[in-house]
């Protein structure tokens, strides 16, 4: 193995060295496994990025920042709700003030609780889910794109879901109606932005996770269903075609790292399924 130059850290030679990244939803709810946002933020920092951690729960983002800093990385916490446009604008301004720019926007926020059947869904819940999941991505992009356009480069990655494409995710009786609609809208937003901003050097892609073992995907839903975590995790594992069952947040994080890096310089408008083959099934 080649000797590391004196005073140089591995992050200084990482795939995102010298970049400034913002990760929304960088904290996480309580649970057994790591969440997608935290895993992505940790990996971005490990690969050399200075990371702005945006979350409406300050303490959750601080926990992610502590993990990053303990590993020798650089992070800052910005408290904000992506469903509030002023918070989105403030997050981008604060990131640029603290780190001097913004190269990568990784939008990881999504909500699903309150969803239901078409005939019984509360329209206020539908509006909340649509605003956070689709509107939040739009408002964050609206805030970030002027600077990216001016500098002639940038990478935006949305965390969508294969729920936009397939039915029966997780084999529960509660169909993700508003969630499904919001993620389909997010996919459409991704394609629209990719086409509109390609000439400015800004790439826009989306990751579509399948069944991932995260606190929000397993612990929170199991509690809402009144089901033991182990039972619900087993149902999800059985739904994944690829040997080994559910994926982990690190699978999503490594896909995010690739799309944010210069290795993906010629990739824009892509909807990348990270789902163990689940989206190959019809219905």
């Amino acid at each position: 193995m080649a000797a590391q130059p004196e005073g140089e850290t591995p992050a200084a030679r990482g795939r995102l060295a010298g970049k400034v990244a913002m990760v929304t939803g960088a904290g996480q709810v309580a649970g057994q496994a790591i969440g997608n946002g935290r895993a992505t933020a940790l990996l971005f920092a490990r690969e050399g990025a200075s990371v702005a951690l945006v979350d409406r729960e300050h303490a959750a983002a601080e926990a992610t920042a502590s993990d990053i800093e303990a590993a020798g990385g650089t992070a800052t916490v910005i408290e904000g709700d992506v469903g509030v446009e002023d918070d989105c604008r403030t997050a981008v301004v604060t990131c640029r003030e603290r780190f001097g720019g913004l190269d990568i926007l990784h939008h990881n926020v999504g909500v699903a609780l309150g969803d239901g059947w078409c005939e019984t869904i509360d329209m206020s819940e539908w509006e909340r889910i649509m605003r956070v999941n689709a509107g939040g991505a739009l408002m964050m992009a609206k805030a970030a794109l002027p600077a990216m356009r001016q500098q002639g480069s940038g990478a935006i990655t949305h965390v969508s879901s294969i729920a936009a494409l397939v039915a029966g995710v997780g084999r529960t009786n509660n169909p993700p109606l508003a969630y499904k609609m919001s993620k389909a809208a997010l996919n459409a937003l991704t394609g629209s932005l990719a086409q509109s901003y390609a000439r400015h050097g800004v790439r826009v892609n989306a990751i579509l996770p399948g069944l991932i073992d995260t606190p929000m995907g397993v612990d929170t839903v199991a509690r809402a269903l009144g089901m033991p975590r182990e039972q619900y995790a087993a149902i999800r594992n059985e739904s994944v075609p690829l040997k080994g069952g559910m994926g982990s947040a690190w699978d999503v994080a490594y896909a995010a790292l690739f799309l944010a890096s210069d290795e993906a310089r010629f990739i824009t408008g892509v909807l990348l399924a990270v789902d163990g083959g689940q989206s190959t099934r019809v219905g």
Side-chain angles (χ1 to χ4, degrees):
M1 181 181 295
Q4 182 175 306
E6 186 176 351
E8 184 178 5
T9 65
R13 295 177 286 112
R15 294 160 71 182
L16 302 181
K19 302 284 189 181
V20 175
M22 176 180 289
V23 177
T24 65
Q28 68 178 66
V29 298
Q32 291 186 17
I34 191 170
N36 291 332
R38 180 168 291 175
T40 298
L42 289 169
L43 187 57
F44 280 9
R46 188 188 305 166
E47 291 293 331
S50 297
V51 187
L53 310 170
V54 180
D55 204 288
R56 64 180 182 178
E57 300 293 339
H58 192 273
E62 282 287 0
T64 303
S66 294
D67 288 345
I68 288 173
E69 290 164 358
T74 301
T76 190
V77 171
I78 303 171
E79 184 176 341
D81 185 341
V82 301
V84 178
E85 187 168 6
D86 283 347
D87 285 8
C88 295
R89 283 194 294 260
T90 298
V92 170
V93 170
T94 303
C95 173
R96 297 184 71 217
E97 287 176 347
R98 294 180 184 177
F99 287 143
L102 177 60
D103 303 295
I104 299 160
L105 171 59
H106 181 85
H107 186 69
N108 178 68
V109 176
V111 296
L113 292 183
D115 209 343
W117 296 93
C118 178
E119 295 180 31
T120 59
I121 191 169
D122 184 325
M123 289 308 295
S124 65
E125 292 294 331
W126 180 87
E127 290 169 359
R128 177 183 62 86
I129 292 169
M130 291 295 293
R131 181 171 183 85
V132 172
N133 293 3
L138 171 59
M139 290 185 285
M140 285 302 308
K142 181 180 178 182
L145 278 166
M148 290 183 173
R149 186 182 68 244
Q150 184 176 20
Q151 70 194 20
S153 64
I156 297 176
T157 303
H158 297 135
V159 178
S160 182
S161 172
I162 64 162
L165 307 176
V166 302
V169 176
R171 296 182 183 174
T172 68
N173 292 323
N174 188 30
L177 178 63
Y179 185 79
K180 184 181 185 74
M181 292 175 70
S182 69
K183 293 301 187 177
L186 181 55
N187 293 351
L189 174 66
T190 300
S192 178
L193 294 180
Q195 185 176 45
S196 298
Y197 288 88
R199 71 180 187 274
H200 300 294
V202 180
R203 300 183 298 103
V204 187
N205 296 291
I207 296 170
L208 279 59
L211 297 175
I212 307 296
D213 188 359
T214 64
M216 183 170 288
V218 179
D219 303 71
T220 300
V221 179
R223 285 193 296 269
L225 294 173
M227 185 183 297
R229 185 192 194 280
E230 294 74 17
Q231 181 182 352
Y232 185 59
I235 292 172
R236 286 167 65 95
N237 281 329
E238 291 171 2
S239 300
V240 178
L242 191 63
K243 180 180 178 181
M246 285 186 287
S248 78
W250 296 108
D251 296 313
V252 176
Y254 275 103
L257 173 61
F258 168 67
L259 290 175
S261 74
D262 291 340
E263 296 161 17
R265 58 168 294 277
F266 203 56
I267 297 175
T268 192
V270 164
L271 306 179
L272 176 61
V274 180
D275 67 349
Q278 192 174 3
S279 57
T280 62
R281 292 176 170 172
V282 178

